[in-house]
Amino acid sequence: LPSRSLTTETIQRAIAKKFGLKITDLKGGKRTRRVVQPRMIAMYLVRKHTEHSYPEIGQAFGGRDHSTAINAYKKISWQLRHDVALQSKVQAIELTLGK
């Protein structure tokens, strides 16, 4: 199978499914713990697996500022180095995405 390039939408769908959320939750303004971490993981994966810039990623998540996308990427990168549970969550999502 040729490796298909991932899109922001594909990643958002996978995250929404994994965490039992709607895509509108990921793009919305809610800041509950239930939504915040999945949203940050989604931003992290979009940055890691697509060519999108931080401003584009912010835009794709409900018109957020590019600094939000940068902070999400940095925070998840840091947490992945220290949190085994998060590592396996992210790896499982990446597997479903074929990465």
Side-chain angles (χ1 to χ4, degrees), residues 11-76:
I11 291 169
Q12 287 173 336
R13 272 199 302 272
I15 294 283
K17 190 174 176 191
K18 171 86 176 159
F19 290 94
L21 299 168
K22 297 184 180 79
I23 289 181
T24 51
D25 294 328
L26 297 177
K27 294 180 176 187
K30 277 200 198 131
R31 295 212 182 115
T32 56
R33 184 180 228 127
R34 225 185 125 243
V35 176
V36 169
Q37 192 187 38
R39 183 186 293 140
M40 290 199 308
I41 293 170
M43 288 183 175
Y44 168 83
L45 289 172
V46 170
R47 181 65 189 175
K48 182 176 171 188
H49 295 295
T50 73
E51 300 288 310
H52 294 303
S53 66
Y54 288 118
E56 288 169 335
I57 295 168
Q59 210 46 52
F61 284 86
R64 288 179 159 73
D65 193 70
H66 72 280
S67 62
T68 307
I70 293 170
N71 290 336
Y73 184 81
K74 285 182 178 167
K75 183 163 187 180
I76 297 298

